[in-house]
């Protein structure tokens, strides 16, 4: 059985002190959560304090990006070795904002996925279409290219440690949300892609999250869909109470 995972992506929000305070508030709210994986993606500057505050709890910490190289002349970059040394377990890769603002390609994202797995980090690979791509009927083409490209050279065994996050770009930070039926349709398509790549058994065990404006009031309906296994949550993950409600929605299914 694949696992439901609810991950918060804080983006460029919260200082190290604010991160520690948030996690201290969240822990008692989700202490009884058993089935759902809980992940928080903090800024690089907050990772160390977040890992320390989450130690011994059911909360895991993610970085929001990384460089695929172990070390070298890459000013301003963070390596997988650095993340591993801090105790980080997950890393968000290929987010639409990285693709859009920083020109990240499927090839470069694939290098990051490989590097993450090499060093024992669990990549959350983001894929998804822009509004104009949905409107012109190329959603499946875009999602296929990003999924296949991001997983190039990744073995079936490695897929046990890969999470896919489907994030319709038009529904991120806009208040718009894909309907449960729309989201399920693309999630089922991704599951079919994974089946073609790795076989049904592997595909059935890969967690595929929904990442487009998931909130406490729509989380249950979304996660209830057959192929939606939790969420990559943006704005609603910045407040402990609302994030806990989403996590509990996942745990109730």
């Amino acid at each position: 059985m694949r696992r439901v995972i609810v991950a918060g992506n804080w983006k460029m929000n919260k200082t190290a002190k604010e991160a520690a305070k948030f996690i201290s508030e969240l822990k008692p709210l989700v202490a009884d959560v058993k089935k759902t994986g809980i992940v928080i993606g903090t800024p690089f500057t907050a990772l160390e304090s977040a890992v320390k505050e989450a130690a011994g709890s059911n909360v895991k910490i993610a970085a929001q990006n990384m460089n695929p190289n172990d070390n070298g002349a890459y000013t301003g970059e963070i390596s997988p070795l650095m993340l591993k040394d801090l105790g980080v377990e997950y890393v968000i890769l290929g987010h639409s904002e990285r693709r859009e603002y920083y020109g990240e390609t499927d090839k470069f994202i694939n290098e990051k996925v490989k590097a993450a797995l090499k060093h024992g980090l669990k990549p959350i690979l983001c894929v998804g279409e822009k509004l104009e791509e949905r409107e012109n009927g190329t959603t499946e083409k875009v999602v296929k290219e990003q999924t296949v490209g991001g997983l190039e050279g990744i073995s079936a065994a490695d897929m046990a440690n890969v999470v896919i996050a489907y994030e319709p770009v038009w529904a991120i930070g806009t208040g718009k949300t894909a309907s449960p039926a729309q989201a399920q349709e693309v999630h089922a398509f991704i599951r079919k892609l994974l089946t073609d790549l790795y076989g049904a058994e592997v595909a059935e065990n890969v967690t595929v999250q929904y990442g487009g404006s998931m909130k406490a009031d729509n989380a249950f309906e979304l996660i209830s869909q057959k192929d939606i296994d939790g969420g990559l949550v943006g704005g609603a993950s910045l407040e402990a109470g609302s994030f806990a409600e989403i996590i509990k929605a996942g745990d109730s299914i």
Side-chain angles (χ1 to χ4, degrees):
M1 287 291 292
R2 60 184 180 265
R3 192 179 192 196
V4 169
I5 298 175
V6 174
N9 178 17
W10 286 357
K11 307 188 180 185
M12 198 171 69
N13 292 289
K14 295 194 186 295
T15 64
K17 287 182 180 178
E18 289 170 340
K21 182 175 183 289
F22 177 98
I23 294 169
S24 72
E25 293 173 355
L26 180 69
K27 286 189 295 187
L29 299 178
V30 297
D32 59 347
V33 169
K34 304 299 182 188
K35 297 184 296 182
T36 299
I38 304 167
V39 180
I40 297 174
T42 81
F44 288 131
T45 52
L47 287 173
E48 185 172 13
S49 63
V51 167
K52 287 179 179 176
E53 187 62 42
S57 75
N58 55 354
V59 178
K60 308 301 181 185
I61 304 302
Q64 297 176 21
N65 185 35
M66 67 170 210
N67 189 283
N69 296 283
D70 289 356
N71 49 56
Y74 303 100
T75 300
E77 292 292 287
I78 303 292
S79 80
L81 287 175
M82 295 171 182
L83 299 180
K84 196 69 179 172
D85 181 64
L86 286 176
V88 170
E89 294 191 36
Y90 289 82
V91 58
I92 300 167
L93 300 174
H95 192 278
S96 60
E97 290 157 3
R98 300 297 312 176
R99 295 175 188 265
E100 179 73 15
Y101 304 148
Y102 304 101
E104 294 195 2
T105 63
D106 290 330
K107 182 177 184 297
F108 188 47
I109 293 162
N110 177 243
E111 290 174 14
K112 296 184 182 190
V113 173
K114 290 176 177 174
L117 291 166
K118 174 185 171 184
H119 291 288
L121 296 165
K122 296 176 181 177
I124 299 175
L125 172 63
C126 301
V127 301
E129 81 283 7
K130 298 177 183 178
L131 180 59
E132 59 267 30
E133 292 164 340
R134 172 162 282 272
E135 290 178 341
N136 67 23
T138 58
T139 292
E140 291 189 355
K141 177 178 181 290
V142 170
V143 170
K144 181 176 181 178
E145 287 175 354
Q146 292 178 350
T147 303
V148 174
L151 296 176
E152 178 73 31
I154 304 303
S155 71
D158 277 335
M159 288 304 295
N161 291 308
V162 174
V163 176
I164 307 289
Y166 166 59
E167 42 160 26
V169 182
W170 50 273
I172 299 174
T174 62
K176 296 180 181 178
T177 309
S179 70
Q182 285 176 316
Q184 164 58 24
E185 182 180 10
V186 182
H187 278 247
F189 175 72
I190 292 170
R191 190 88 57 199
K192 174 65 165 57
L193 283 177
L194 295 174
T195 301
D196 293 343
L197 290 170
Y198 299 106
E201 185 176 351
V202 171
E204 279 301 314
N205 285 294
V206 175
T207 295
V208 185
Q209 302 173 313
Y210 174 73
S213 295
M214 182 178 282
K215 304 179 182 69
D217 62 2
N218 64 19
F220 181 84
E221 192 175 8
L222 285 163
I223 302 173
S224 296
Q225 301 298 309
K226 178 178 182 292
D227 291 294
I228 299 180
D229 312 315
L232 182 61
V233 184
S237 72
L238 293 171
E239 195 277 316
S242 66
F243 191 48
E245 288 303 309
I246 296 171
I247 292 163
K248 289 176 181 177
D251 213 51
S252 68
I253 294 168

